[in-house]
């Protein structure tokens, strides 16, 4: 089975589905492709990597290269995640009668407009899909409007994911270093947001002088630049927080589960500056962490509706500061689990067995 996920978020979303398929079919092996190095690193950490899970980078959408790729791997089926729609790859699979399935289908307003402008080529591509499992009604309606059929509304795979993994020994070590200090985690921040977080944290320290702020940039490669610009100790350089540390830069990959468990509250990035779009709100909420985001959560509208009575929206530095100074709110963790994985697993297996 071939599964393709673009980067880190899509890979984390797809791995539980891969595990469910492998459990259901003991003879199955999975070719897992990504478009980024960070995505490949997540796959490489899986216990079955190198045994039943193989990683390669996705080939460019070039006919000659696609022929070589498909001749080599001969997948039984192809599963693309979220918005990974490659016309050449889908057409090449269709010519070989390889079913192509889109899971956790996501189509933003902007992407839908772009595909609509393409006209017939886009509709031909959509009709070649065996089926689409959309995240929710809005995405499903956009896929149907572009000609995809059938389109299912199974729910969001990210809502169905288990709590993020973490290293228990490292958690105990860091908890010992931090003690009972309040901890604020700014997770998956994008350019322009670190400055806003630092301003809010500085103001909040007048209310909580021992506040420790942990900044986790979405792309760890930005760590050296951020550390130099703001004079911050960084985890990737082996620098631990001390009792005097006010801001700690956690520029490592795949450790959000650790930092969320250390947090008293967190802010989700890609939501307050720049183009935005947001990140997965279920991950901190599933762990009971009081969570705030900016208003730019367009990619997570349906998820935000699900957690609207739990998550807090901050519009600027002033709002974020007031939230940091407010009493810790309770977090409702019920309703964050749905059996999306099992539904998709069964549908995939039925599709490839026809």
């Amino acid at each position: 089975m071939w599964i393709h996920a673009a980067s880190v978020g899509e890979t984390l979303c797809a791995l539980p589905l891969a595990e469910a398929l492998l459990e259901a079919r003991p003879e199955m092996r999975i070719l897992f492709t990504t478009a980024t190095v960070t995505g490949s690193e997540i796959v490489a950490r899986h216990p079955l990597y190198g045994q039943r899970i193989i990683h390669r980078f996705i080939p460019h959408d070039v006919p000659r290269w696609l022929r070589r790729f498909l001749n080599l791997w001969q997948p039984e089926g192809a599963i693309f995640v979220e918005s990974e729609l490659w016309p050449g790859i889908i057409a090449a699979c269709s010519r070989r009668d390889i079913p192509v399935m889109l899971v956790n289908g996501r189509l933003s307003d902007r992407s839908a407009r772009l595909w609509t402008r393409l006209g017939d080529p886009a509709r031909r591509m959509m009709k070649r899909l065996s089926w689409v499992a959309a995240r929710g009604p809005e995405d499903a309606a956009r896929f149907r409007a572009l000609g995809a059929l059938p389109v299912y509304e199974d729910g969001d795979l990210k809502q169905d994911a288990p709590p993020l993994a973490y290293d228990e020994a490292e958690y105990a070590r860091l908890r010992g270093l931090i003690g009972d200090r309040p901890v604020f985690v700014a997770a998956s921040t994008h350019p322009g947001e670190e400055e806003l977080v630092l301003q809010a944290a500085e103001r909040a320290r007048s209310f909580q002088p021992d506040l420790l702020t942990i900044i986790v940039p979405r792309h760890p490669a930005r760590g050296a630049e951020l550390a130099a610009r703001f004079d911050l100790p960084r985890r990737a350089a082996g620098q631990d927080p001390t009792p005097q540390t006010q801001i700690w830069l956690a520029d490592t990959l795949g450790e959000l589960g650790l930092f969320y468990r250390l947090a008293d509250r967190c802010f989700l990035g890609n939501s307050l500056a720049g183009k935005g779009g947001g990140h997965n709100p279920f991950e901190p909420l599933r762990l009971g962490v009081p969570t705030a985001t900016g208003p730019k959560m367009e990619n997570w509208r349906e998820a935000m509706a699900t957690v609207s009575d739990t998550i807090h929206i901050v519009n600027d530095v002033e709002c974020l500061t007031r939230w940091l100074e407010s009493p810790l709110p309770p977090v409702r963790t019920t309703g964050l689990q749905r059996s999306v994985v099992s539904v998709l697993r069964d549908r995939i297996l039925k599709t490839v067995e026809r």
Side-chain angles (χ1 to χ4, degrees):
M1 190 70 71
W2 173 22
I3 298 178
H4 173 66
S7 192
V8 174
E10 295 85 357
T11 300
L12 290 170
C13 164
L15 280 173
L17 178 58
E19 292 165 356
L21 289 167
L22 291 174
E23 184 178 358
R25 289 267 300 267
E27 78 284 4
M28 181 181 285
R29 297 178 76 198
I30 286 179
L31 170 67
F32 206 119
T33 62
T34 64
T36 67
V37 173
T38 49
S40 73
E41 290 171 350
I42 295 295
V43 178
R45 293 181 184 182
H46 195 278
L48 294 178
Y49 177 73
Q51 302 168 46
R52 298 180 67 193
I53 297 178
I54 306 160
H55 176 270
R56 293 293 185 272
F57 291 104
I58 191 166
H60 287 293
D61 212 344
V62 176
R64 181 165 58 93
W65 297 346
L66 291 176
R67 283 195 299 272
R68 292 177 59 188
F69 181 86
L70 294 174
N71 286 341
L72 175 63
W73 296 107
Q74 299 181 28
E76 186 178 359
I79 303 163
F80 290 1
V81 182
E82 295 204 353
S83 55
E84 287 296 283
L85 296 167
W86 296 74
I89 293 177
I90 292 170
C93 289
S94 178
R95 285 192 292 268
R96 296 180 184 226
D97 292 323
I98 299 169
V100 179
M101 301 151 275
L102 185 69
V103 302
N104 226 47
R106 175 167 64 86
L107 206 56
S108 67
D109 295 334
R110 179 175 177 274
S111 295
R113 287 194 298 271
L114 290 173
W115 285 116
T116 300
R117 285 182 200 141
L118 282 176
D120 288 342
R123 296 186 71 82
R124 281 197 300 272
M125 178 191 70
M126 291 291 180
K127 288 178 179 179
R128 286 178 174 134
L129 296 171
S130 296
W131 47 261
V132 172
R135 294 183 310 170
E138 288 186 10
D139 294 293
R142 295 187 191 110
F143 280 110
R144 291 187 186 109
L146 285 166
L149 284 173
V151 178
Y152 303 100
E153 299 174 28
D154 296 324
D156 196 331
L157 261 176
K158 292 177 179 176
Q159 186 175 347
D160 196 33
L164 291 175
Y166 73 112
D167 184 322
E168 294 184 29
E170 184 63 5
Y171 170 81
R173 188 185 76 84
L174 288 173
R175 177 52 68 196
L177 292 174
I178 295 170
D180 58 0
R181 295 177 63 184
V183 176
F184 166 49
V185 169
S188 298
T189 56
H190 286 237
E193 291 182 317
E194 291 85 10
E195 294 90 333
L196 304 178
V197 167
L198 289 171
Q199 291 174 40
E202 182 179 8
R203 296 179 188 181
R205 283 196 297 275
S206 64
F207 181 77
Q208 291 182 306
D210 57 346
L211 176 69
L212 171 64
T213 299
I214 301 175
I215 295 179
V216 188
R218 174 65 171 178
H219 301 291
R222 298 180 57 229
E225 179 260 324
L226 290 171
R229 193 198 317 172
F230 299 115
D231 191 23
L232 303 177
R234 44 188 294 245
R235 179 166 172 78
Q239 298 167 311
D240 285 330
T242 69
Q244 290 74 42
T245 301
Q246 296 176 333
I247 312 290
W248 186 42
L249 188 63
D251 54 339
T252 51
L253 181 69
E255 290 195 308
L256 266 179
L258 171 64
F259 302 124
Y260 281 149
R261 285 172 172 85
L262 291 169
D264 293 294
R265 63 179 84 208
C266 81
F267 164 78
L268 279 177
N270 196 30
S271 63
L272 195 54
K275 185 171 68 173
H279 285 301
N280 189 344
F282 299 121
E283 290 176 344
L285 293 176
R286 191 174 286 119
L287 293 169
V289 183
T291 301
T293 78
K296 301 182 177 185
M297 290 288 287
E298 289 82 4
N299 294 341
W300 296 88
R301 281 200 294 256
E302 290 172 7
M304 291 295 286
T306 301
V307 298
S308 60
D309 59 344
T310 299
I311 208 159
H312 190 82
I313 308 298
V314 295
N315 294 306
D316 51 31
V317 170
E318 195 65 41
C319 289
L320 181 56
T321 303
R322 287 199 300 270
W323 182 71
L324 288 173
E325 295 175 347
S326 67
L328 285 172
V331 174
R332 179 183 65 83
T333 58
T334 57
L336 297 180
Q337 286 291 118
R338 299 174 68 179
S339 56
V340 182
V341 167
S342 59
V343 171
L344 289 174
R345 175 203 60 203
D346 294 346
R347 188 179 298 125
I348 289 165
L349 293 177
K350 286 179 182 177
T351 301
V352 298
E353 287 166 1
R354 286 172 186 163

